[in-house]
Amino acid sequence: MNGMPRYPKPKTLNGRTLALLGKAAGEGITHRTLDGHARSYRLSGYIHSLKFLGWQIEAKLERVGVVGDGYRAVNIARYWLSDSHWVLLTQSGIGKQFLEGVRQFEGARAGGNQTRGTAQSRKQHDEFTTNAGGEK
């Protein structure tokens, strides 16, 4: 990689994912980590976006149990920042400033997969379901 990685906006799920990677120093994060923090299972998409911004992120697959219709084991990815990028995020001035921006935003909704129950979103939902049925 040439140059410095770019920081996402702190109020986005990309930003929150990067902050989680910074907090998870030696252990890394999985989609379960992100789901518990931001109610999103789209971790691989955010990892892809962060890599596009120049962040060096490593991964390994691990086998975990899933309880539901009986018990089964599946592979999931665990992600972490390379050592040099972890230092860049957690020790540099701009990295600390970025993490502070995310901290200020935590607890508020970052968008993601939640729809607010506004009149506008209900109207859009109703229009979509009506049009999806082939009616005009």
Side-chain angles (χ1 to χ4, degrees):
M1 180 194 83
N2 294 330
M4 299 292 282
R6 292 175 288 154
Y7 287 84
K9 293 179 181 178
K11 293 183 178 184
T12 63
L13 286 168
N14 286 333
R16 293 174 80 179
T17 300
L18 183 56
L20 284 173
L21 288 166
K23 289 179 186 176
E27 65 186 70
I29 64 172
T30 69
H31 73 278
R32 291 177 177 174
T33 311
L34 185 64
D35 181 48
H37 181 78
R39 297 178 187 224
S40 176
Y41 260 43
R42 297 288 304 136
L43 179 59
S44 63
Y46 307 126
I47 294 295
H48 179 77
S49 296
L50 291 171
K51 285 181 175 184
F52 182 78
L53 293 174
W55 290 95
Q56 293 175 356
I57 300 170
E58 301 176 35
K60 74 173 183 176
L61 291 179
E62 60 185 50
R63 200 134 178 94
V64 297
V66 177
V67 178
D69 331 313
Y71 174 86
R72 61 189 166 96
V74 297
N75 291 323
I76 63 171
R78 180 171 298 275
Y79 300 96
W80 65 93
L81 285 172
S82 69
D83 291 342
S84 62
H85 278 217
W86 182 83
V87 169
L88 179 65
L89 177 63
T90 61
Q91 307 300 314
S92 73
I94 192 167
K96 288 179 180 179
Q97 194 174 21
F98 169 79
L99 292 174
E100 182 56 33
V102 173
R103 271 188 219 103
Q104 289 176 0
F105 183 69
E106 283 180 345
R109 292 181 189 215
N113 58 3
Q114 297 181 2
T115 303
R116 297 201 174 161
T118 63
Q120 181 65 27
S121 64
R122 282 191 298 276
K123 180 180 176 203
Q124 289 171 339
H125 176 268
D126 292 344
E127 288 173 359
F128 175 77
T129 55
T130 300
N131 291 337
E135 300 175 23
K136 302 231 182 212

